[in-house]
Amino acid sequence: MIPHNRPWITAEDRQAVDAVLASGWIAQGPQVLALERFFVEHQGGGEACAVSSGSSALLLALQACGAGAGDAVIVPTYACSALVNAVHMAGARPVVVDVRMDDFCLDPASVDARPAASRFAIAVHAFGARADVGALQALGLSVIEDCCQSLGGLVDGRPLGGDGAAAVYSFYASKIVTGGQGGLVWSRDAGLVAHVRDYRQFDGRENYVPRFNFQMTDLQAAMVVSQLARLDTIRDRRAAARRAIVAALPAGFAAQADVDQPGRMAHRCVVVAQDLRARDALAAHLHASGIGCIVPVERFELLHRYLGLDPAAYPVAEALADRTLSLPVFPALESDALGRIVDALHRFHP
Ligand SMILES: *Cc1c(COP(=O)(O)O)cnc(C)c1O
């Protein structure tokens, strides 16, 4: 069975973790600092603060941006519940909007543009596709770029994530690089990151204000830093696997737009069928061929459904939940396995 996803762990990654174990310092320490330095260099400046997960990065970025009680935060419905969790934890109110059919990203045209309706938005670069941050900023919104699925992606040679008030990342097992868990907040605004850094750690502080433990460990950071050294290879391998799969797609299936643009990080290869029946037929055929594939966002996971909102107001996300399937493009995918996927697609005759 070819899995849908598998982390790419090399001998160098193991050595990096071993070195931390041997050092006697396994909690937050020099490896976390090295991870933060990598992001500052990668983003061409600003400040970075590593935290325990992408979820905590979202929560802390929202708080540091000033989102709290009484504030509305715009989020795309076709995304994971981490978004609404973070908004609720910050004491704010999520305003769920529909996404675009072509690239699955938040649709700025669905945003209520009344002045002061909302001040904040979380823009998810869905599966590596670039969300339209500029259009949201033009509506007067302070935008947090959710780069959990797009780390390493480039736009005209510049890293994705540099346009908003802050960018957040996840190092969970299924993301671009992983420490098992972990996350990070990056911003050009040093004051914003200082707020995150202050809140991350409670121990040994001179004054008391409520803080928490949102720290990442050096074990995790060493693994992530080791993997970041091959970010270009990861991007190339994912893009090549995706190209091979898209070229072999049966008639009637399309691929998510924008992820094929030069420089994008293909977190997923999501294909769009004409209807639910065609999607389920392809999924059954791939499973029977020993190929792992998943529905990337199930209908019940759509954020408007979790919040009990009227599905009729979210026609695009509803259609995507029924019609999409994600195929393996992880960087550790061997070429013979990729060949088997391509063969299986050629053998599919619905
Ligand atoms: C994974 C993910 C998160 C949450 O990250 P965790 O590290 O799992 O908490 C948030 N947003 C997006 C878009 C994600 O893919």
Side-chain angles (χ1 to χ4, degrees), residues 10 13 43 49 94 119 129 141 229 239 319:
T10 65
D13 299 348
Q43 297 290 108
C49 182
R119 290 196 296 135
L141 296 166

Side-chain angles (χ1 to χ4, degrees), residues 52-58 79-80 82-83 124-127 146-149 168-172 174-175 181-183 267:
S52 53
S53 68
S55 296
S56 33
L58 275 172
C80 66
L83 272 68
V124 179
H125 299 297
F127 311 134
D146 185 331
C147 301
C148 292
Q149 304 172 347
V168 300
Y169 300 85
S170 166
F171 309 118
Y172 177 63
S174 62
K175 308 298 165 131
Q181 298 274 7
H267 174 243

Side-chain angles (χ1 to χ4, degrees), residues 95-117:
V95 175
V96 181
V97 303
D98 209 356
V99 294
R100 299 189 293 213
M101 192 69 206
D102 58 347
D103 63 9
F104 311 173
C105 291
L106 198 156
D107 185 358
S110 306
V111 174
D112 184 347
R114 279 175 305 184

